[in-house]
Amino acid sequence: MLDWKSHPRPIIALSPMADMTDSAFCRVVRDLSPPDLIVFREMVSSEAVVRGNEKTLGMTDIHPTERPLVQQIFGADPTTMAEAARLIEAEHHPDGFDINMGCPVYKIVHNFNGAALMKEPELATKIVKAMKLAITVPLSVKIRLGWSDPTQCLDFIKTLENAGADLVTIHGRTKSQGYSGKSDWAMIGEAKKQVSIPVLCNGDIHKPEDASKALSLSKCDGVMVARGALGNPWIFSQMFEVLAGQTPTPVTMEKRLRVIRLHAKYHVEQYGERGIVSFRKHLTWYFKGLPGAKILREQLHNVSTLADLEKILCALAS
């Protein structure tokens, strides 16, 4: 069973990202990473789960190779959040749950979900307490520094600890910043000082060496990697190497193509052959910044079958 207090330090985790960290991507990351890595699945709507929405429920399926896996959930009603978590645990038994109190996107916050909950500490407390009563696995919360005030997290994190949260992840920007500016790892460190539960540092961790820098500055228990893992699922194995004092293993084109094939295979297993169309977004990330990427982009954005993709990959390998 996942235990945040005893899990090996530093904790290294894949961040939940909407439309990106589905089962297929989590499987690829897990295949390429040491067993201590924790993967967080993309968020699902508590309302949709309770209504029995088939697509949403399908998003909570767990492949055995993904574990340990934490399912993120969002919502603003304590009773609905608790019931959704209970239903997911009964059906799929994730190793933990995570509450999204950090998403800055309008369609989430305008319904008092995501980062909007940082303005409602009493409601946030009720949600955490209700979910803790409904589940048997650890409960974590992902937040930002604040809505517009970057010091808001200093009190809010204490609220979450007092409510019963087992771990908190902090993205080092405010909701108002969105993804602009720089992640403030030092302020995350100030929040870490306020509580006794584990805290993860999130934001602007794009290279293996960034994990060491973030840990050094924040003194957190670990780091959570989001966009730095897109098109770059081997970043976690490289991070573990750097943290062990080793030089990160370089990624050859041969390995890149092998991983793309593996990811595409998992993606089609999850969504069917036509699912390769939604895989195009991952292809953009896999080739971003590489020589000739702009020329490749048009070809990659037109693949509609695994055979189409294989032709492009074979041409690149020759």
Side-chain angles (χ1 to χ4, degrees):
M1 179 177 175
L2 179 61
D3 184 341
W4 288 120
K5 286 189 176 179
S6 63
H7 193 79
R9 299 299 195 262
I11 299 168
I12 307 295
L14 167 65
S15 178
M17 289 177 280
D19 299 322
M20 300 304 286
T21 53
D22 56 8
S23 180
F25 185 64
C26 288
R27 288 175 68 188
V28 171
V29 168
R30 173 66 68 205
D31 285 351
L32 298 173
S33 307
D36 285 340
L37 177 79
I38 306 293
V39 297
F40 281 66
R41 180 68 69 71
E42 62 180 323
M43 65 180 175
V44 293
S45 163
S46 59
E47 297 279 354
V49 170
V50 171
R51 288 198 310 268
N53 181 279
E54 192 172 324
K55 179 181 177 182
T56 302
L57 291 171
M59 292 167 65
T60 64
D61 285 340
I62 300 174
H63 191 278
T65 60
E66 292 178 81
R67 297 185 185 276
L69 180 140
V70 178
Q71 176 64 61
Q72 191 180 73
I73 187 169
F74 74 91
D77 180 73
T79 302
T80 303
M81 288 283 280
E83 177 61 9
R86 187 192 68 78
L87 290 170
I88 294 170
E89 183 174 15
E91 184 68 23
H92 298 299
H93 310 288
D95 302 283
F97 281 95
D98 187 70
I99 305 173
N100 187 318
M101 295 191 187
C103 182
V105 178
Y106 175 76
K107 70 177 182 179
I108 299 294
V109 299
H110 90 288
N111 284 325
F112 303 102
N113 301 315
L117 287 168
M118 293 194 70
K119 299 193 293 182
E120 303 286 344
E122 290 186 10
L123 178 56
T125 293
K126 290 177 181 178
I127 290 172
V128 172
K129 287 184 173 180
M131 286 185 67
K132 287 285 287 187
L133 290 172
I135 60 177
T136 65
V137 292
L139 179 64
S140 57
V141 185
K142 190 168 190 287
I143 67 174
R144 285 187 163 235
L145 293 183
W147 183 263
S148 57
D149 177 3
T151 67
Q152 188 179 355
C153 60
L154 302 181
D155 286 329
F156 192 68
I157 195 170
K158 289 186 283 189
T159 296
L160 296 175
E161 180 181 41
N162 292 335
D166 298 297
L167 174 142
V168 173
T169 300
I170 306 177
H171 180 96
R173 293 180 176 85
T174 62
K175 183 272 173 192
S176 299
Q177 284 180 284
Y179 294 99
S180 65
K182 290 185 64 176
S183 181
D184 190 343
W185 297 337
M187 182 56 72
I188 295 174
E190 290 303 309
K192 160 69 180 169
K193 294 175 184 177
Q194 308 302 314
V195 294
S196 60
I197 57 175
V199 177
L200 302 185
C201 180
N202 172 236
D204 290 351
I205 301 173
H206 299 296
K207 301 188 295 293
E209 299 79 10
D210 291 340
S212 298
K213 296 174 184 176
L215 289 169
S216 176
L217 191 56
S218 70
K219 302 297 188 293
C220 280
D221 299 275
V223 296
M224 179 178 275
V225 183
R227 289 174 292 171
L230 297 179
N232 190 27
W234 39 77
I235 189 174
F236 300 101
S237 61
Q238 293 177 324
M239 263 178 199
F240 279 102
E241 289 174 331
V242 170
L243 290 167
Q246 303 167 6
T247 301
T249 303
V251 179
T252 62
M253 179 58 77
E254 180 183 6
K255 180 175 182 178
R256 185 178 299 272
L257 299 181
R258 178 175 61 79
V259 171
I260 291 171
R261 287 185 173 100
L262 178 66
H263 191 173
K265 174 177 174 287
Y266 289 162
H267 198 84
V268 169
E269 283 180 15
Q270 183 173 355
Y271 300 106
E273 179 70 19
R274 286 297 297 171
I276 202 68
V277 173
S278 60
F279 186 66
R280 294 170 183 170
K281 61 193 175 191
H282 289 289
L283 290 172
T284 298
W285 282 100
Y286 275 117
F287 290 103
K288 185 178 180 180
L290 295 182
K294 289 185 179 180
I295 299 173
L296 266 176
R297 192 172 300 151
E298 186 175 345
Q299 298 178 58
L300 296 171
H301 285 184
N302 284 298
V303 296
S304 56
T305 66
L306 276 174
D308 291 341
L309 176 60
E310 187 58 29
K311 287 179 183 177
I312 297 173
L313 298 185
C314 285
L316 289 170
S318 61

